[in-house]
Amino acid sequence: MSDASYLSLEKLTLAYGDSVAVANLDLTIKKGELIALLGPSGCGKTTTMRAIAGLLAVKSGHVRLDGADITRVPANKRAVGLMFQSYALFPHLSVYENVAFGLKLKGMRGPELDAKVQSGLKSVGLSNFANRRPAELSGGQQQRVALARSMVMEPKVLLLDEPLSNLDARLRLEMRTELQRVQKATGVTMIFVTHDQAEALALADRIVVMKSGKIEQIGSPEDIYNRPTSSFVADFVGFENIFPLENGKMKTGAGLVDLSGSLSSEAPSAAGLAWRPRMVTLGTGPFQGTVRGTSFAGDSREYLLDSPLGPIKAEVEASQPAHALGAGLSFDLPAEKAAPLSRFV
Amino acid sequence: MTARSLFIPVTLFLVIAFLIGPFLIIVAASFSAGETLAFPPQGFSLRWIAKVFTVESFRASFGMSLFLAIGGTAAALVLGIPASYALSRYKLPGAEIVRTVVSAPIIVPGIIVGLALLRYIVVPFQVGITPALFLAHTALVLPYAVRVVSASLDNLRSDIEEAAVLLGSSRLGAFFRVVMPNIRGGIMSAFILGFVTSFNQVPVSLFLSGPGVRTLPVDMIAYMEIVFDPSVAALSSLLAFLSIGIVFLAERFLGFSRYV
Ligand SMILES: Nc1ncnc2c1ncn2[C@@H]1O[C@H](COP(=O)(O)OP(=O)(O)OP(=O)(O)O)[C@@H](O)[C@H]1O
Ligand SMILES: [Mg+2]
């Protein structure tokens, strides 16, 4: 075993009956890493997590953890923690008993147990709530109990399935910080599922983007945000203007169009190019468009243009003069700013 | 008031009178001082209520009814809880058919159930009277047990079991540690409903009772064929108040009506 491949999924295939949900997935995670699993609904994120936890039987492939093949190890012997989106607290037990549940099953008793539970509760700031029932707690507090309940078990890996999606915006930020703090303090290897790219970018050491049961791209938040390798990932992280390339030209609604400027040296083999709305130059350039929609977003203003190339989304500083609906505008898609995509899907 | 606005209150009154009336008449008749069952009661006395406790066969059949109600219901729960669990947690092929078959005794008239049991089980297999009654009462209570326990299982999220497993519990352990405690109310309610159903059951028991072994309601019918004194009314009143008391306590402490 090495710390570099603490948890590895090898050619993992998962299915419900005959319908394959995850196919041939390979993923290697370092010890102590915080991984975000990002992807659209139904792409197999929950399925993958359940297989790591042992709640779903593996159809083929292997799961290795800490040097051991755990593919066939039952869920209760894996030392993998899972925080459910619904928290799944035991309604008939107090907060204290919820946290003590797993420790008691390990055979822990008396002062040792008490000390462990108390420190678990303290670490999530719930020492004063030990005697409450889950139903008497707010959503954020329930979440903390669930976190403490998993963490006192000292799992080798902690999985979190959309841990923040049930919380309101303010609590979300608070819990985000909390998760990060707990992860840094304990060094636990963590994988969390999210729909929210901002959350993934803010928290993760590495992001895994999934699409229909396959990994589309793995990379640091910077990689994913700035250097998407496929049109799918580009679209997912907000590159809204995407064109395929053919013989060095953009394939558009107006046929093959010459690039404006030249590609950076690494990109000649690119299958497509992508621009964020902010990368589009408005007011000058070789292309012509008509303003079809505009929306004001505080610092910036967004325009939807109709152009022979197809619809274009552009974003400019709000301090610049506004363009009216129906106004004709020239614009540019500078090739040197574009993200080159190696796969167009 | 117009005739129209009187219609609803009058109907309501009649319905209530029709439902409660016979019960009130029986209660009144049990305090009669006279020798025969009659309404309005002649005078007032507690002698018939006292007599109930001295009739030997009532004591024996009460014991039998109590045994069947408690034992039969307990057996129905032992079978019904795992069955309900399997029905609600696993997508079993034919689950709907099982549900229907299990519920059949609610829909099929007791006479038919009794006759069928007698003709095709008790007689061919030479089952004794007590085991036959026990079997019949278990079967009769089973649908109620499955129904009520299923209702409370459906209200319980299944992910708490997975949470328990990930915290080190076995599947079976998770069932006893986190499922059972959370459906306790449903189980108690099923028990009470089953108890009352079994205790008040007549037609099936009528078929299966035999010499010396009877349930209380069957015994009361037999008694009335010979003696027509108010002690049967007195016994009925006592039983009715017992049922009401049990259901009242159940509602008070368990929220019985949530499950039934
Ligand atoms: N219990 C199940 N039985 C059959 N198919 C299922 C089951 N659970 C999920 N699936 C299918 O497996 C695929 C992956 O589902 P999964 O729940 O892993 O998606 P997800 O990425 O977690 O989506 P979401 O973001 O909506 O939670 C989907 O096509 C889904 O329809
Ligand atoms: Mg999911």
Side-chain angles (χ1 to χ4, degrees), chain B residues 114-129 132 135 207-209:
Chain B
L115 184 61
L117 280 171
L118 185 63
R119 176 71 183 73
Y120 295 104
I121 299 197
V122 176
V123 175
F125 295 100
Q126 298 287 310
V127 184
I129 297 172
L135 213 77
F207 272 93
L208 302 176
S209 290

Side-chain angles (χ1 to χ4, degrees), chain B residues 1 5 12 28 35 67 75 89 122 130 141 145-146 151 162 259-260:
Chain B
M1 278 216 220
S5 68
L12 202 61
E35 290 297 324
F67 162 71
R89 288 293 185 267
V122 176
T130 308
V141 170
V146 169
E162 294 182 335
Y259 300 100
V260 182

